[in-house]
Amino acid sequence: MTIARRIGIIYAFIAASCLALVAWLAYHEFVEEPAAFAAMGAPNIHKDTQAELTTVCFLALIPVLLGLGWWWMRRAFAPLSELSAALGRSDPHGLPQPLPRSLKDSEADQFAAAFNDMTARLHRSFQQIREFTLHASHELKTPLTVMRVQLETRLQDKSLSPDEVEWLECELGEVLRLSHIVDSLALLAKGEAGQIKLERQPLRLDELVRESFDDARILAEPHQVRVTLDECEEISLPGDRHRLRQLLLNLTDNAIKYNRPGGTVTMALRRRNGAAEIEITNTGEGIPPELQPRVFERFVRGEEARRRAIEGCGLGLTICRWIVQSHGGTIQLSSDAGNKTTALVRVPVG
């Protein structure tokens, strides 16, 4: 309960008590006492009526003053309510938007000014981080490309021994992994900076899901995982075909990698409440409860991934969240430890 509401309840209780007291006093002074004197046949020796009326009116002013105090209190707390609402609407992408100020140099204005200064500094820091990530990714691409070409060229040498070939292939795998990390970081940095323009074109989402289902069955064969498509409604929507295909590939690849041998991956596409719902469920070991709130953060990987040396860099789900949010949708990941994990994507159809 807010402070304003608590004070309002106290004001209302006091005002109601004062009104009840005024009503009792008026009734006692003007009804009960005259009636008692009349019943006794005694002359009306009651106090002066004008003085009594003045006293009652004075007491009646108390709830009026309380009402005025409540009105002024509401006006005093209004800037705080506006600040609270503005803070609730703020997010990392909206940091440059300043909080409203009443320009009356009140405590609320001082708080808003301090908060605006802090968010401006944070925005500059985030901007510097994005620029650093972009520049670093760009600078790393060239040497990684040179290393990849040199290793691939060296592997074509027929005079290499099996041990040398194995060593070169291992080195090439690490270079490719670094290149994937650099590309993913560059994609996220450009996306957050608004430098990537999505190609919004009408497309059949059910066709994308069926294509991803076919790809998933091929990816699942080496892992002995069975992939099924429960339902796939015909749904059309405006979107970026390449990015949505990347989203489905990342989610199905995770569902296969983080599964157990002989497990299953279930895919479904349905229309619900004006949105397309994509549901992908696997039968893996699940995600620990303490890790679930952080699965969409960068470089977050569970103990299972490290223990089983599962290939990945912890950026796939972060990219998935960016793709879904860029299409105005939401993505959730729920997990039952030791049972199943479900990724639910909702994208508006309109």
Side-chain angles (χ1 to χ4, degrees), residues 51-65:
E52 293 174 356
L53 186 60
T54 302
T55 303
V56 172
C57 291
F58 176 76
L59 292 175
L61 284 176
I62 296 177
V64 175
L65 294 175

Side-chain angles (χ1 to χ4, degrees), residues 30-31 34 36 67 79-80 126 131 137 143 182 189 200 221 227 231 244 285 303-304 322 330 340 344-345:
F30 300 113
V31 178
L80 293 179
F126 292 157
E131 291 176 356
S137 301
V182 169
R200 295 297 189 96
E221 287 181 2
V227 183
E231 55 181 317
L244 289 175
E285 296 184 11
E303 291 298 327
E304 179 190 3
W322 169 74
T330 60
K340 66 177 182 178
L344 180 63
V345 176

Side-chain angles (χ1 to χ4, degrees), residues 31-53:
V31 178
E32 285 187 348
E33 285 190 0
F37 284 116
M40 292 185 299
N44 189 357
I45 57 174
H46 201 256
K47 294 182 292 184
D48 183 48
T49 302
Q50 185 176 359
E52 293 174 356
L53 186 60

Side-chain angles (χ1 to χ4, degrees), residues 35-209:
F37 284 116
M40 292 185 299
N44 189 357
I45 57 174
H46 201 256
K47 294 182 292 184
D48 183 48
T49 302
Q50 185 176 359
E52 293 174 356
L53 186 60
T54 302
T55 303
V56 172
C57 291
F58 176 76
L59 292 175
L61 284 176
I62 296 177
V64 175
L65 294 175
L66 287 173
L68 290 174
W70 163 246
W71 179 71
W72 280 107
M73 188 273 298
R74 290 277 297 179
R75 289 196 60 184
F77 275 96
L80 293 179
S81 300
E82 294 175 1
L83 287 178
S84 178
L87 286 173
R89 294 190 300 266
S90 65
D91 57 67
H93 299 288
L95 284 179
Q97 182 178 359
L99 294 181
R101 297 179 62 183
S102 63
L103 303 178
K104 296 180 180 179
D105 199 26
S106 63
E107 289 81 357
D109 278 356
Q110 295 172 9
F111 172 79
F115 186 85
N116 291 337
D117 290 341
M118 181 190 69
T119 53
R121 292 194 298 270
L122 285 174
H123 177 65
R124 287 194 295 269
S125 299
F126 292 157
Q127 188 69 24
Q128 290 172 356
I129 292 173
R130 283 194 291 266
E131 291 176 356
F132 170 78
T133 304
L134 280 172
H135 294 325
S137 301
H138 180 74
E139 294 298 328
L140 287 171
K141 279 184 177 181
T142 300
L144 286 173
T145 302
V146 172
M147 293 171 64
R148 178 177 59 82
V149 172
Q150 289 178 342
L151 289 170
E152 290 174 345
T153 303
R154 186 75 177 105
L155 279 170
Q156 296 175 0
D157 189 350
K158 304 299 182 181
S159 63
L160 295 175
S161 65
D163 290 339
E164 289 175 328
V165 171
E166 181 180 358
W167 182 83
L168 288 172
E169 288 178 345
C170 181
E171 293 298 311
L172 180 59
E174 292 301 317
V175 170
L176 293 175
R177 179 171 175 271
L178 285 174
S179 298
H180 176 66
I181 294 174
V182 169
D183 291 339
S184 299
L185 285 174
L187 173 65
L188 288 173
K190 290 180 180 178
E192 291 177 353
Q195 298 181 9
I196 297 180
K197 183 179 180 180
L198 298 182
E199 297 294 332
R200 295 297 189 96
Q201 297 179 353
L203 57 86
R204 287 275 300 274
L205 187 59
D206 54 298
E207 293 179 355
L208 278 182
V209 171

Side-chain angles (χ1 to χ4, degrees), residues 320-332:
C320 288
R321 182 179 61 178
W322 169 74
I323 294 173
V324 173
Q325 291 179 346
S326 298
H327 285 80
T330 60
I331 180 171
Q332 298 175 343

